[in-house]
């Protein structure tokens, strides 16, 4: 099975209590692709500028990621700068968002990607997300992400996008803001009424919960909570959410069926990939994993919760 992801490929400037990095490879589509590449074939649609080197692209192609959908435009690559406080998991300040070539990005899907089985709409303008979704009619499942910026200022466009997404992955603050409700279960229900058949709400260092719309996905009724790995060393939380999404969608794509059991297991693989991502700066850890290492950590998660 194959997954197409559309989203940002970026240079990130990061400062955490453990150090600083200038303009290292990042972006939601990058983290997603690397994480998903351990499970299935991945294709990327994104845009980069003239400062994006063949070495940068090789980080993805070495993992077998198909980068033919990355457009090379005149100008500079999207640049994001962020700083984390002492409470590394909970304090993040965005210092700069320089859109550069991203500002005029028009996703264009190469003909070779038409047969993609799964689609992930990473956090970009919901108008672009909707456009890509509408072109990819044959996909079996669509996952999506968004952020406060679009919830606050672009709600009408976001609502169009939500109608076309099967599984939305957002954090708890975003879910409450989107639903305008401080009760998480009620917020989850309201968000699913906007379109998604399942909703993954991420709780940062405390794990994630999946909610299912009534009657959707065979095999049970209740929401399901997956813990996060209690990690000794969190060096850089950037990309945790996108790596979670990559592990989650990648695992689903690697399975023959899409039911609640598969989605629950996918929650664990999402947590596993998120936990690896934050152990080193940038995408470093995601570049050098093996499926054995991933499954070893999955087993630890299974023991943590006695998942059978
Ligand atoms: P996460 O830590 O999972 O929220 O994702 C961080 C990644 O998202 C970084 O690598 C950034 O390059 C990228 N990013 C930050 N802001 C934006 C934005 N407004 N649009 C798209 N990607 C972004």
């Amino acid at each position: 099975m194959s997954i197409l992801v559309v989203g940002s490929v970026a240079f990130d400037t990061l400062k955490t209590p453990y150090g600083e990095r200038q303009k290292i490879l990042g972006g939601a589509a990058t983290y997603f692709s690397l994480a998903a590449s351990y499970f299935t074939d991945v294709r990327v649609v994104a845009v980069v500028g003239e400062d994006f080197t063949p070495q940068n692209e090789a980080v993805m192609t070495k993992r077998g990621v198909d980068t033919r959908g990355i457009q090379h435009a005149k100008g500079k690559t999207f640049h994001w700068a962020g700083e984390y406080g002492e409470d590394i998991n909970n304090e993040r300040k965005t210092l700069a968002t320089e859109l550069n070539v991203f500002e005029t990005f028009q996703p264009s899907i190469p003909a070779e990607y038409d047969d993609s089985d799964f689609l992930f709409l990473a956090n970009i303008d919901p108008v672009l997300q909707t456009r890509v979704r509408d072109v990819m009619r044959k996909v079996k499942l669509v996952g999506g992400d968004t952020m406060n910026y679009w919830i606050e200022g672009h709600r009408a466009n976001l609502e169009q996008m939500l109608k076309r997404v099967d599984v939305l992955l957002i954090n708890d603050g975003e879910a409450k803001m989107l639903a305008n409700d401080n009760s998480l279960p009620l917020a989850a229900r309201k968000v699913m009424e906007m379109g998604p058949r399942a909703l993954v709400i991420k709780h940062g260092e405390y794990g994630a919960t999946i909610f299912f719309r009534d009657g959707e996905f065979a095999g049970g009724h209740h929401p399901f909570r997956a813990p996060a790995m209690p990690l000794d060393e969190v060096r850089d939380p950037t990309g945790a959410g996108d790596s979670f999404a990559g592990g989650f969608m990648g695992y689903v794509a690697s399975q023959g069926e899409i039911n609640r059991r598969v989605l629950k297991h996918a929650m664990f693989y999402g947590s596993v990939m998120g936990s690896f991502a934050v152990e080193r700066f940038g995408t470093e850890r995601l570049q050098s994993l093996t499926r054995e290492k991933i499954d070893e950590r999955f087993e630890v998660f299974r023991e943590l919760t006695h998942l059978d």
Side-chain angles (χ1 to χ4, degrees), residues 1-307:
M1 294 282 173
S2 54
I3 299 189
L4 170 61
V5 55
V6 54
S8 59
V9 170
F11 288 130
D12 291 346
T13 295
L14 309 166
K15 188 171 181 188
T16 89
Y18 297 94
E20 297 182 31
R21 297 288 187 279
Q22 298 287 326
K23 295 202 169 181
I24 58 170
L25 180 64
T30 312
Y31 281 102
F32 180 95
S33 305
L34 293 173
S37 71
Y38 291 93
F39 301 90
T40 194
D41 293 338
V42 186
R43 297 139 174 209
V44 194
V45 166
V47 65
V48 295
E50 291 151 310
D51 49 354
F52 195 80
T53 65
Q55 289 81 355
N56 293 137
E57 195 150 333
V59 169
M60 286 183 260
T61 52
K62 270 192 203 145
R63 285 288 325 135
V65 174
D66 185 335
T67 57
R68 285 177 294 177
I70 296 186
Q71 302 165 27
H72 292 258
K74 276 213 154 54
K76 281 188 179 174
T77 301
F78 174 61
H79 175 224
W80 178 77
E83 180 174 358
Y84 298 83
E86 278 304 320
D87 183 6
I88 192 165
N89 290 302
N90 298 306
E91 290 172 39
R92 165 155 117 185
K93 255 197 319 218
T94 290
L95 302 177
T97 302
E98 294 159 15
L99 291 175
N100 299 330
V101 293
F102 216 57
E103 191 146 19
T104 51
F105 176 45
Q106 293 297 333
S108 132
I109 317 292
E112 298 89 341
Y113 290 6
D114 278 350
D115 61 354
S116 302
D117 301 292
F118 289 77
L119 172 64
F120 186 72
L121 305 167
N123 167 36
I124 51 169
D125 186 334
V127 172
L128 301 184
Q129 291 177 315
T130 301
R131 209 173 291 159
V132 172
R133 201 279 167 257
D134 286 348
V135 175
M136 301 301 294
R137 295 251 171 76
K138 287 178 275 179
V139 291
K140 295 181 175 56
L141 188 93
V142 183
D145 185 11
T146 190
M147 68 186 284
N148 294 0
Y149 176 78
W150 306 115
I151 299 172
E152 281 165 359
H154 298 252
R155 184 169 278 264
N157 293 338
L158 184 60
E159 283 173 3
Q160 289 306 311
M161 173 275 210
L162 290 173
K163 284 184 196 160
R164 295 163 169 82
V165 164
D166 297 299
V167 184
L168 183 71
L169 296 96
I170 51 180
N171 66 37
D172 28 28
E174 291 162 349
K176 289 175 181 174
M177 183 189 276
L178 185 54
N180 203 7
D181 199 314
N182 278 321
S183 149
L184 208 58
L186 289 182
R189 203 173 305 157
K190 284 188 186 169
V191 171
M192 288 188 289
E193 278 165 13
M194 298 176 196
R197 299 156 60 207
L199 174 66
V200 175
I201 298 186
K202 295 167 285 176
H203 316 296
E205 63 183 313
Y206 302 109
T209 309
I210 185 164
F211 294 85
F212 303 99
R213 203 159 78 193
D214 282 347
E216 294 287 353
F217 300 108
H221 299 284
H222 302 295
F224 176 76
R225 165 77 68 98
M229 184 94 178
L231 284 178
D232 294 344
E233 41 168 43
V234 174
R235 293 283 176 267
D236 167 23
T238 309
D242 307 307
S243 306
F244 181 103
F248 179 91
M249 291 290 295
Y251 176 75
V252 173
S254 72
Q255 300 298 297
E257 271 182 83
I258 308 169
N259 55 36
R260 289 187 200 209
R261 185 167 190 277
V262 168
L263 292 171
K264 286 177 184 178
H265 280 70
M267 293 287 286
F268 277 64
Y269 278 108
S271 286
V272 167
M273 299 315 290
S275 75
F276 277 123
V278 303
E279 284 181 349
R280 302 270 183 284
F281 272 83
T283 59
E284 198 184 319
R285 191 75 181 100
L286 293 184
Q287 294 177 36
S288 58
L289 289 166
T290 58
R291 190 55 202 265
E292 290 68 40
K293 280 211 168 70
I294 291 167
D295 283 330
E296 231 169 70
R297 193 166 282 190
F298 178 86
E299 286 307 318
V300 176
F301 270 84
R302 200 198 274 266
E303 276 169 30
L304 276 175
T305 58
H306 304 286
L307 181 72

